[in-house]
Amino acid sequence: MTDVGESPPVRRLSEWDAAELRPLAGEYGTPLYVLDLERVRQNYRRLEAAFPDADVLYAVKANALGDVLSTLHEAGAGLECASAGEVQRALAAGAPGSEIHYTAVNPPAGDLDWIVDAWADHPDLTVTAGSTDTIDRLADRGYDGRLCLRVNPGIGAGHHEKVETGAAAKFGVPAERAVDVLVDAADRGFDVVGIHAHVGSGVSSKQRDAHREFVARMGDLARDVAGAVGGLKFVDIGGGFGVPYREDETPLDLESVADATRDALGELDATVTIEPGRYVVADAGVLLTTVNTVKDARETTVAGVDAGLTTLLRPAMYDAYHPIRNLTADVSERGSSRERTPQTVAGPICESGDVFCTARELPRSERGDLLAIGNAGAYGYEMATQYNTRPRPASVVLDDGDVRPARRRETIADVLRPEREALPSASADRKTDHDRATDTDNEYDR
């Protein structure tokens, strides 16, 4: 197990062992997510070392794979959950209620019902509410346990405007109203334990000043709230620590960020809590995909692959950059690197946005080549969909030399099953030839 001092601050796609990845595609098929659990541990230990006095809660939404959650729980991390389903995953991974925060954003009724029922068995569970309406809905269900208030500090940052949460009206109670809201909650019998805010996702070194201002506002607010309600257990400043997706980007200076955070918060009689997600898992994962079509277009060569925006949504949704490496060209029988040409790597979805890169210089692709897409450990499978009736991919994990399947590949029958099960039983006698075909194994069954 690598010591944090020996662990590089970022794992580049070029550093993955092609000889280890290629057989995985042969055994499990593509598209395939591959996640290295030892890298997950290294990233967590780096955070723990930079913030030795803070509680580190992993943001489950970044990658909710059970192997990831159990690995981080065993390493000492708590788990921050954005839905009742994620809380179920956290409990299944072995985390006690005392190490789980449920951060509700406009929670559906079913979520709140489940959470309040779970609270009966896990009274140390913390619920974070982002509105007075949510607090009322909790009270209506008989909840008066540990309550944290999500506040809106009025300042945001992140890698894209869609993930800058700190100033978005959707998130949290305006900071200037927080004291009154929490005093009222305490008067109603809630156990007020903390305040929470999240500036955004993928914060880079260039946005350090914005992050520092955000943290300073949280420190000032925490002192005001503590004075009004008689103290706080913690101040949660969220996560958002960015990772370098581009090959020429430098990694975040985590120690410097930690020092600036402590300085900006000032004196607090409360524990600082951070909620990293992307930082822990992004560079621990790659997506393997196979080239199935090569086409020379007017200004570029199009390499069509079997992964698409249904597999990895970030490029289409955020115009996000992911490094791409041709693992087959690395060992081409020609004995030398193939000519590099401008290529557009595109998926099979009937959308013009279904591309992983446009006119990027890559070794010229050939049908059957295996490509690796880097930094796919965060918000990859979690955002995968079944659009175009496409089954979601499989996942495998690497763990200290061991390789094991972590999630089987869906089949078309899996995609159709909820629809079938909603039909009256009498319709079973009226199956079409297509229905019968998709009841059995098909090309997606591996």
Side-chain angles (χ1 to χ4, degrees), residues 72-261:
L72 287 167
H73 165 61
E74 291 166 5
L79 300 172
E80 184 269 326
C81 305
S83 70
E86 289 185 356
V87 174
Q88 291 183 51
R89 285 180 175 272
L91 292 170
S98 59
E99 296 177 9
I100 298 173
H101 285 203
Y102 167 59
T103 305
V105 179
N106 303 327
D111 268 35
L112 287 186
D113 291 341
W114 194 93
I115 290 295
V116 173
D117 286 345
W119 166 65
D121 296 323
H122 305 278
D124 291 335
L125 175 75
T126 298
V127 174
T128 299
S131 70
T132 56
D133 200 28
T134 299
I135 295 174
D136 291 341
R137 294 167 69 202
L138 287 166
D140 291 344
R141 288 165 170 78
Y143 181 87
D144 60 1
R146 290 169 56 91
L147 180 72
C148 173
L149 183 68
R150 181 166 188 166
V151 301
N152 187 310
I155 185 169
H159 70 84
H160 191 279
E161 62 182 10
K162 292 182 180 179
V163 297
E164 293 183 359
T165 58
K170 175 179 178 178
F171 300 99
V173 171
E176 60 271 19
R177 294 176 47 206
V179 171
D180 291 341
V181 169
L182 286 174
V183 167
D184 179 68
D187 289 344
R188 295 168 67 181
F190 286 93
D191 181 13
V192 174
V193 293
I195 58 172
H196 166 282
H198 179 58
V199 71
S201 184
V203 178
S204 67
S205 298
K206 297 177 182 178
Q207 297 169 315
R208 190 177 301 172
D209 289 345
H211 189 267
R212 181 185 177 90
E213 175 61 23
F214 154 75
V215 172
R217 293 185 189 185
M218 289 296 291
D220 291 340
L221 179 60
R223 285 181 282 274
D224 290 343
V225 171
V229 301
L232 290 174
K233 297 286 197 309
F234 64 84
V235 178
D236 190 331
I237 58 170
F241 306 120
V243 298
Y245 281 78
R246 294 180 180 272
E247 293 88 342
D248 59 353
E249 290 178 338
T250 58
L252 189 68
D253 184 345
L254 197 60
E255 289 75 15
S256 177
V257 171
D259 290 342
T261 296

Side-chain angles (χ1 to χ4, degrees), residues 257-271:
V257 171
D259 290 342
T261 296
R262 285 185 284 268
D263 182 61
L265 275 172
E267 292 296 323
L268 286 177
D269 188 17
T271 300

Side-chain angles (χ1 to χ4, degrees), residues 271-291:
T271 300
V272 176
T273 299
I274 58 173
E275 296 178 355
R278 181 191 314 274
Y279 187 91
V280 180
V281 292
D283 71 354
V286 297
L287 172 63
L288 302 182
T289 183
T290 300
V291 176

Side-chain angles (χ1 to χ4, degrees), residues 326-349:
N326 190 318
L327 299 179
T328 304
D330 284 351
V331 290
S332 171
E333 66 262 9
R334 300 172 187 175
S336 61
S337 298
R338 296 183 195 170
E339 177 187 3
R340 298 178 71 85
T341 62
Q343 293 174 75
T344 295
V345 178
I349 310 303

